Amino acid sequence: MLEKPLILLSHALSGGILVSLGLAFFSGLLHVNRRGNRWMAAFSLCLSTVFIQQLVELAFGETISVGLLIVLELPRWAIVPCFYMAVRFYLAPQCEQKAYLLHFIPTIVLCTLLFAPLLGIEVPTLPMLGIWLVRYFLYIQVFGYGVACALLIRNHQRNVPRFTSDVR
C-alpha cells in the first residue's frame, strides 16, 4: 500500500536531481572542462527523462498521450553516447572529435521512425530482426559503449605517468 507512493517519490526525486545536475553543468558553474561538462549535462538531462517517464506512467497510467511518451522515450537512445562523449572529453579535453554526431545516428533514425506517423508519413513494418534490434538496442549500446569507455579509461591510466610525476 505504501509501496507506490515511495516509488513515485523516488522517481520524482531522481528525475529532479538529474535535471538540477544537468542544469548546473550547462550553466557554467563548473568552469573546468566546459566540453566535458556539456556532454555530462546532456547525459544527466537524457537520463532524467527515464525517471520522469516512469513517474508519469505510474502516476497517470493509460491517460497520458502518446506524443508525451514519444518525447520522453527519444532521449533514452542518446544517454549512452552522451556519457561516452563526456568520458572522452574529460579524459582528453583538447581532443577534436569531428565525427561525434555519428554516435547519434540510431537516435536520429528512431526520431524519424517515431515522428513519421504523426506527420502522416506511412512507415513500413519492420521485419522480426528490426523489431528485435529496436527492443534490445539499448542493451547492446550499453555493452558496446561500456567497453569503449573502459578502454578509454585504461589507456588514460597508462598515459598518466607520461605527463605527471604523482600517480597516486
Side-chain angles (χ1 to χ4, degrees):
M1 188 161 221
L2 187 61
E3 185 176 301
K4 187 175 179 180
L6 287 176
I7 292 173
L8 288 171
L9 179 65
S10 71
H11 288 324
L13 288 174
S14 299
I17 288 169
L18 284 166
V19 167
S20 299
L21 180 65
L23 293 176
F25 276 120
F26 263 134
S27 70
L29 292 174
L30 308 166
H31 297 289
V32 180
N33 197 344
R34 292 181 192 266
R35 288 168 63 185
N37 286 345
R38 287 185 190 131
W39 283 110
M40 188 56 78
F43 166 73
S44 296
L45 291 172
C46 289
L47 188 59
S48 72
T49 62
V50 172
F51 291 102
I52 293 169
Q53 180 183 1
Q54 294 295 320
L55 173 71
V56 168
E57 286 177 354
L58 274 174
F60 300 108
E62 300 293 323
T63 61
I64 52 178
S65 71
V66 175
L68 178 63
L69 283 178
I70 288 173
V71 168
L72 290 173
E73 183 72 28
L74 285 177
R76 188 171 292 187
W77 287 53
I79 292 171
V80 184
C82 286
F83 181 74
Y84 172 78
M85 297 305 292
V87 168
R88 184 151 187 86
F89 284 115
Y90 279 134
L91 295 180
Q94 72 284 358
C95 140
E96 284 298 320
Q97 180 85 21
K98 296 190 189 298
Y100 67 88
L101 288 177
L102 293 176
H103 296 277
F104 297 95
I105 287 175
T107 306
I108 294 167
V109 169
L110 181 69
C111 284
T112 57
L113 287 175
L114 287 177
F115 282 115
L118 295 176
L119 298 173
I121 302 168
E122 187 161 335
V123 178
T125 57
L126 293 174
M128 283 307 291
L129 178 64
I131 293 170
W132 184 87
L133 280 174
V134 168
R135 182 174 294 150
Y136 295 108
F137 185 75
L138 184 63
Y139 302 115
I140 296 166
Q141 197 179 32
V142 167
F143 178 76
Y145 278 105
V147 169
C149 285
L151 291 174
L152 282 174
I153 292 169
R154 190 181 79 197
N155 288 340
H156 179 72
Q157 287 174 337
R158 286 183 182 164
N159 291 332
V160 166
R162 292 184 184 166
F163 57 85
T164 185
S165 59
D166 187 14
V167 290
R168 286 184 239 181

